[in-house]
Amino acid sequence: MPDTLIKVDLKQSPYENEQVHNRWHPDIPMACWVKPGDDFVLETYDWTGGFIQNNDSADDVRDIDLSIVHFLSGPVGVHGAEPGDLLVVDLLDIGAKADSLWGFNGFFSKNNGGGFLTDHFPFAQKSIWDIQGMFTKSRHVPGVNYAGLIHPGLIGCLPDPSLLEKWNEREVGLIATEPDRVPPLANPPFAATAHMGKLGGDAKAKAAAEGARTVPPREHGGNCDIKDLSRGSKIYFPVYVKGAGLSVGDLHFSQGDGEITFCGAIEMAGWVHMKVEVIKGGMAMYGIRNPIFRPSPITPHYNDYLIFEGISVDEAGKQHYLDVNVAYRQACLNAIEYLTKFGYSKAQAYSILGTAPVQGHISGVVDIPNSCATLWLPTQIFDFDIRPNASGPVKYIQGGPEMPLSPDL
Ligand code: ZN
């Protein structure tokens, strides 16, 4: 068995684990070191560090302080890796922690995080998904059962000081354009809840005040939430600091394209078995600015879809110019409306789109004024037939369980 270089105890606060951090900063010390060619295991908390519980209340989703996220395992130093290299990471396998065979999906309150459809789902809601081997189902969302496409939502290397400065400058600049917006346009550094791994004292205070939040994807990868970055993938990361400093977390048992519910996928605590190699000078050699990756040879085999179209005309009928975001939102809303005909609540339908192996495609971006986005809903994940036919939909879900909802206080 490969060595487990980072262990997490789900009964312990992540703030007490020095091999965990929740900001990006070049001064965060390496949690451990490996050599090119090594394979090893890292355990991770779920992205909230255990804040969300396996119960039937969404109070925790409503009440969470989102400045604590994401708890990442690392950084792992790789001997010989230097700025300008590519760090090659094989995701050999990923799984849930044996003492935590469940995951969660939630919608944040519009006043605390929001989500892609936050105007339609303004209050905190939650669904719990049980993990049985490679499959999952939920007591809150009946009638679906599917195979996991397990992946880390968040993985990347430490930035160097100039890259970090660039991130902070551009994001703080964006916030300044509409500082009172709810939800905010971006999240600036926030020292009070920063966890900087092994760093302590004045060095910690300085780095905590500058450390970039982990929410957005950036040049180094980070929180990309790509469902196809699954176990079996091979990723090529830009290296900015000596030793690379690879960190990973935010494991998802499954997710639809877009992670539209934001709290997000089926979020879980787990472990990643990975292998690292280095391509010297690879960034310039291949013109790499953002990570590239090769997908897994293994994916869940769903080959029949109902595909929902959306165009860049919003819910109020307003015309937008080639706005893919608006178009994808319409495709999602169209799919949700359709699923309600089988007895699902809108919240349950939204949860399915956020968690199941749903594909999202940008289908057209040139036919002015409308872009076209499509949402691909796999028909085989349902216990019943969702395809249209002449006799109409059967109300399969009747008076079943509902997703817990916690109104704002
Ligand atoms: Zn996540």
Side-chain angles (χ1 to χ4, degrees):
M1 281 297 285
D3 290 339
T4 299
L5 299 184
I6 298 181
K7 291 195 164 93
V8 303
D9 175 355
L10 301 181
K11 293 192 260 333
Q12 182 191 42
S13 163
Y15 285 100
E16 290 165 20
N17 189 326
E18 290 194 336
Q19 291 181 300
V20 169
H21 63 102
N22 67 0
R23 300 288 189 269
W24 293 112
H25 196 288
D27 293 349
I28 298 172
M30 300 301 172
C32 53
W33 283 89
V34 299
K35 299 186 304 298
D38 284 354
D39 71 307
F40 52 90
V41 171
L42 306 181
E43 294 181 348
T44 77
Y45 286 93
D46 82 82
W47 72 301
T48 71
F51 191 85
I52 306 297
Q53 298 291 308
N54 183 352
N55 58 27
D56 299 316
S57 163
D59 289 0
D60 46 15
V61 175
R62 177 191 63 198
D63 299 337
I64 186 172
D65 173 0
L66 284 173
S67 74
I68 66 173
V69 300
H70 302 65
F71 290 104
L72 308 177
S73 294
V76 177
V78 181
H79 287 296
E82 293 170 305
D85 294 347
L86 287 178
L87 184 69
V88 187
V89 178
D90 279 290
L91 299 177
L92 299 174
D93 202 0
I94 305 173
K97 287 261 290 174
D99 56 347
S100 183
L101 295 178
W102 61 278
F104 61 89
N105 176 259
F107 320 153
F108 288 118
S109 156
K110 189 174 180 181
N111 292 315
N112 185 30
F116 189 55
L117 303 180
T118 194
D119 289 331
H120 301 267
F121 299 91
F123 300 122
Q125 289 194 257
K126 182 169 89 177
S127 56
I128 298 294
W129 296 77
D130 293 318
I131 295 168
Q132 295 173 315
M134 60 183 284
F135 295 99
T136 186
K137 60 187 171 138
S138 170
R139 63 182 180 267
H140 300 125
V141 187
V144 283
N145 182 353
Y146 45 84
L149 182 53
I150 307 180
H151 59 276
L154 203 163
I155 183 168
C157 296
L158 291 181
D160 62 23
S162 72
L163 185 59
L164 175 65
E165 198 182 312
K166 196 185 341 177
W167 292 350
N168 282 335
E169 257 177 41
R170 72 189 184 200
E171 290 171 26
V172 169
L174 177 68
I175 293 166
T177 63
E178 199 182 342
D180 300 325
R181 187 176 188 271
V182 179
L185 289 169
N187 301 112
F190 185 69
T193 51
H195 179 24
M196 310 305 279
K198 291 179 182 172
L199 215 52
D202 291 347
K204 180 191 171 185
K206 176 181 174 291
E210 303 166 346
R213 303 284 288 279
T214 55
V215 176
R218 298 188 181 93
E219 290 86 336
H220 69 149
N223 194 23
C224 288
D225 290 315
I226 303 168
K227 77 178 194 318
D228 303 289
L229 196 77
S230 59
R231 57 179 166 168
S233 297
K234 184 191 276 286
I235 321 167
Y236 303 81
F237 286 107
V239 173
Y240 310 98
V241 303
K242 202 173 159 49
L246 177 73
S247 293
V248 63
D250 187 22
L251 300 187
H252 297 160
F253 188 79
S254 178
Q255 182 208 292
D257 278 340
E259 203 196 18
I260 57 173
T261 56
F262 180 31
C263 175
I266 296 174
E267 306 285 343
M268 67 176 194
W271 51 267
V272 184
H273 178 195
M274 58 173 84
K275 187 175 96 167
V276 292
E277 302 273 5
V278 173
I279 298 178
K280 298 304 292 178
M283 281 178 74
M285 223 158 35
Y286 288 103
I288 301 287
R289 203 165 65 99
N290 297 64
I292 59 175
F293 72 98
R294 291 164 53 202
S296 174
I298 295 172
T299 55
H301 185 64
Y302 297 114
N303 53 16
D304 183 49
Y305 293 85
L306 265 187
I307 300 176
F308 295 85
E309 301 181 6
I311 57 170
S312 52
V313 175
D314 69 21
E315 298 91 306
K318 183 176 172 212
Q319 179 71 59
H320 296 256
Y321 176 72
L322 297 181
D323 189 327
V324 175
N325 196 289
V326 171
Y328 193 51
R329 191 166 77 233
Q330 304 318 306
C332 293
L333 291 169
N334 290 341
I336 288 170
E337 182 65 25
Y338 184 89
L339 287 174
T340 63
K341 305 302 181 196
F342 297 85
Y344 284 116
S345 69
K346 289 193 171 186
Q348 288 170 328
Y350 188 25
S351 187
I352 291 169
L353 302 189
T355 58
V358 164
Q359 296 186 34
H361 293 247
I362 297 170
S363 302
V365 289
V366 294
D367 298 312
I368 58 170
N370 284 336
S371 56
C372 177
T374 47
L375 181 138
W376 300 40
L377 182 63
T379 60
Q380 293 140 309
I381 65 171
F382 293 90
D383 296 345
F384 51 96
D385 191 354
I386 65 158
R387 293 170 299 178
N389 62 56
S391 45
V394 175
K395 261 209 156 56
Y396 181 87
I397 313 293
Q398 286 176 326
E402 190 34 290
M403 276 177 54
L405 181 150
S406 293
D408 289 354
L409 293 171

